[in-house]
Amino acid sequence: MIHETAIVHESAKIGNNVKIGPWTIVGENVEIGDDCVIASHVVINGPCKIGQGNRFFQYGSIGEECQDLKYAGENTRLEIGDNNVFREGVTIHRGTVQDQGLTKIGSNSLFMVNAHVAHDVIIGDNCIFANNATLAGHVHIGDFVIFGGHAAIHQFGKVGSHAFVAGGSVIIKDIPPYVMASGHHAKPFGINSEGLKRRGFDAEAIKAVKRAYRVLFRQGNTVAEALAALEESANEQPSVALFTEFLKTNERGIIR
């Protein structure tokens, strides 16, 4: 299952039923879980731990040293969950000691051609990043987030779960959960109601999220005023609680 031209370091741990294509390099301190498929001309460097059932297309660079000028060769790492797809030319860098020394990707996500995940990025589950989506260092992404092609986010930015970022958007402030964002610089354009329907949110939950959106973005409230107004409904509706918890921990400001 390992092509004769592939180079696999003696310290690498390769799971069961793993396929490694020609001219691929698996470096030192790399662990690859069962049933992964790695195409030709992929480079995977460690320390790096990869879960089960992941698929890496050709020309990917996974677990490489980061581009942060402060990086001085420290022993940082990359962790990837299960059942992700990394298309051609995807690049993912390990973390830095200035953060937690970790870049972490969850499970069941799709990274399309030339998507980039920088150092110390934390990504949840079930996300989609279209062609050339770019995540700068220290970015945090929730679950079920979608990035359109060529969308880019500033370092330390955060995007809440179920948000939708349109192609070509430039994000310099945080995007709360459920919000659809677009533009340069990105602005809010309602909630991702269609996505919520597909994920099983009932009508009442979606109505509650829409009301929360109006309180935050349409009624002239500050974030603090909106948060105070929403906390009572958050106690009754979990979908709003996700919204308020994001606002409580926001430090960089949100898109407006």
Side-chain angles (χ1 to χ4, degrees), residues 117-135:
V117 179
H119 59 89
D120 305 291
V121 169
I122 306 295
I123 298 174
D125 300 328
N126 302 292
C127 296
I128 298 174
F129 300 92
N131 296 0
N132 297 289
T134 301
L135 311 182

Side-chain angles (χ1 to χ4, degrees), residues 2 4 9 12 32 42 72 113 128 137 173 197 199 212 215 224 234:
I2 300 177
E4 61 182 7
H9 194 276
I32 300 174
V42 177
V113 172
I128 298 174
K173 296 289 186 180
K197 292 175 185 176
R199 294 165 203 146
V215 170

Side-chain angles (χ1 to χ4, degrees), residues 3 37 49 190:
H3 195 274
V37 177
K49 182 177 181 180

Side-chain angles (χ1 to χ4, degrees), residues 62-135:
I62 310 300
E64 189 53 85
E65 293 181 0
C66 70
Q67 300 175 113
D68 191 323
L69 294 177
K70 298 187 296 298
Y71 181 75
E74 296 91 352
N75 190 31
T76 58
R77 64 197 192 280
L78 166 66
E79 294 180 7
I80 296 175
D82 303 327
N83 303 313
N84 298 288
V85 175
F86 302 91
R87 294 296 311 225
E88 300 89 331
V90 167
T91 54
I92 307 173
H93 292 167
R94 302 195 305 274
T96 65
V97 295
Q98 285 75 27
D99 202 318
Q100 299 181 46
L102 172 67
T103 300
K104 186 173 183 179
I105 295 172
S107 299
N108 305 308
S109 291
L110 169 60
F111 297 79
M112 297 187 193
V113 172
N114 292 333
H116 174 63
V117 179
H119 59 89
D120 305 291
V121 169
I122 306 295
I123 298 174
D125 300 328
N126 302 292
C127 296
I128 298 174
F129 300 92
N131 296 0
N132 297 289
T134 301
L135 311 182

